Amino acid sequence: MQQHIPVALERCIALLTPAIEKSSNPVVIDATLGMGGHSKELLERFPNLKVIGFDRDLGAIEIAKKNLHATQERITIVHAVYDQISEVLGSMGISEVDGILFDLGVSSMQLDTPERGFAYSQDAPLDMRMDQSTGLSAQEVLDTYSRNDLVRVIRNYGEEKFATRVVDNIIAARETGKLKSTKELAELVKASIPAATRRTGGNPAKRTFQALRIEVNQELEVLERAIPQAISSIRIGGRLVVMSYQSLEDKIVKSAFTKVTASHTPLGLPIDLPNSAASYNLVIRGSESASAEEISLNARAQSMRLRAIERVAA
Ligand SMILES: C[S@@+](CC[C@H](N)C(=O)[O-])C[C@H]1O[C@@H](n2cnc3c(N)ncnc32)[C@H](O)[C@@H]1O
């Protein structure tokens, strides 16, 4: 298994530090606990910090529990989808937290475990569920969705120009029963893409696999619901830090951050009118990428976009 290197670890810690240091009993939510890479470092650096870690993947939680054993009394691990942040905080009697971190997408553990079905380079059943205890697998999506729905998914979430060709081949393969594994899907996609296009842009299966994964896990809908909950769950002085790995996720984060950091004062006035100033400030103008040095050590950091806001008023 590939060694797990948390993405932008030092930068995330630096962004959360002012919020943690302002509080006498700091609490941070790690919305995407994974193997606990970011949480472990936060818990070690801040001896009074408590972390609430969410993950929808029971396998990830098992690994995180082991990795965070030394600080187990300061971490609460919740098996939940991160659009349940408000509900979970409510059930714990917590109204606000000092920081929230999202490190979106799949983990290297999920990608490197062939039987999870996320990797087009390994042969495995078409599962792709982050939470294998619930929901439709990629196989069920491929077998049961209408042609129009499959085209929508593969075109919108995979940004695949040849979505209709891919889907026509999927529908044909349903008849022959020849679409039962990641390898068969990767080959079907490759055969659907014109040869001239196949020579550029990496493995052609990448876009269709991304699309199916997003659909299977309802990733964008969940994120749309989660970000506003996260925004309203940070206290004044608290910070929300999000790392996205593809443009559709980043668009959701950017738009939510733009909305809450915009002043309500009419354009053209030199200062904010009373009660019109925004309650949140951008900590990062636009977004940040990983450094070339980090990308050379960790390929996953290549597509990362980092955004952060701070709550400045009620
Ligand atoms: C990129 S990994 C996080 C890695 C982690 N920061 C670390 O350093 O170990 C993303 C994790 O978030 C989880 N995840 C993705 N979407 C989720 C969601 N909607 N709700 C809860 N967990 C989710 C995945 O199962 C995966 O374990």
Side-chain angles (χ1 to χ4, degrees), residues 19 22 96-98 234-239 279 310-314:
K22 269 181 211 152
E96 287 174 335
V97 295
D98 300 283
I234 47 175
R235 65 161 178 80
I236 297 175
R239 289 184 168 193
S279 301
E310 176 172 328
R311 187 170 202 161
V312 291

Side-chain angles (χ1 to χ4, degrees), residues 24-238:
S24 50
N25 288 306
V27 178
V28 163
I29 294 178
D30 184 343
T32 50
L33 185 64
M35 286 179 269
H38 290 90
S39 280
K40 185 170 195 287
E41 202 61 31
L42 282 166
L43 286 160
E44 281 172 5
R45 296 225 196 153
F46 300 98
N48 63 342
L49 177 68
K50 294 204 169 103
V51 171
I52 305 166
F54 283 69
D55 208 294
R56 70 198 298 185
D57 183 332
L58 283 166
I61 287 180
E62 277 319 300
I63 299 172
K65 273 189 187 157
K66 287 195 189 107
N67 289 345
L68 298 168
H69 185 71
T71 49
Q72 62 179 348
E73 70 289 353
R74 290 190 286 124
I75 177 142
T76 307
I77 298 182
V78 192
H79 178 226
V81 179
Y82 51 55
D83 64 353
Q84 292 168 276
I85 285 181
S86 301
E87 192 184 322
V88 169
L89 286 184
S91 72
M92 295 172 84
I94 297 173
S95 55
E96 287 174 335
V97 295
D98 300 283
I100 305 185
L101 176 68
F102 283 83
D103 178 14
L104 300 174
V106 276
S107 67
S108 42
M109 178 277 281
Q110 290 162 333
L111 283 172
D112 293 344
T113 309
E115 57 273 23
R116 301 295 299 267
F118 289 108
Y120 47 79
S121 52
Q122 312 255 18
D123 197 19
L126 287 154
D127 189 332
M128 300 195 197
R129 288 170 302 166
M130 291 191 204
D131 182 352
Q132 292 181 297
S133 66
T134 182
L136 290 184
S137 66
Q139 183 74 58
E140 288 166 302
V141 167
L142 290 166
D143 288 347
T144 60
Y145 273 30
S146 68
R147 182 178 184 279
N148 284 350
D149 280 341
L150 283 175
V151 171
R152 171 183 58 77
V153 166
I154 294 173
R155 181 174 288 148
N156 295 351
Y157 300 163
E159 300 177 274
E160 173 57 72
K161 278 193 295 200
F162 301 101
T164 51
R165 289 183 186 225
V166 173
V167 171
D168 285 341
N169 286 335
I170 291 171
I171 306 279
R174 277 182 190 168
E175 306 298 318
T176 57
K178 287 236 171 74
L179 184 52
K180 296 285 173 218
S181 70
T182 49
K183 190 167 168 227
E184 283 171 349
L185 178 61
E187 277 165 8
L188 178 149
V189 175
K190 193 171 162 207
S192 311
I193 309 289
T197 315
R198 246 186 269 151
R199 280 192 284 274
T200 57
N203 192 318
K206 188 175 172 188
R207 296 184 292 275
T208 294
F209 273 65
Q210 171 181 300
L212 283 169
R213 195 199 89 198
I214 291 176
E215 177 65 16
V216 162
N217 297 290
Q218 299 283 293
E219 291 178 31
L220 302 178
E221 291 88 339
V222 169
L223 189 63
E224 290 263 17
R225 290 192 293 269
I227 294 294
Q229 290 181 33
I231 288 173
S232 58
S233 299
I234 47 175
R235 65 161 178 80
I236 297 175

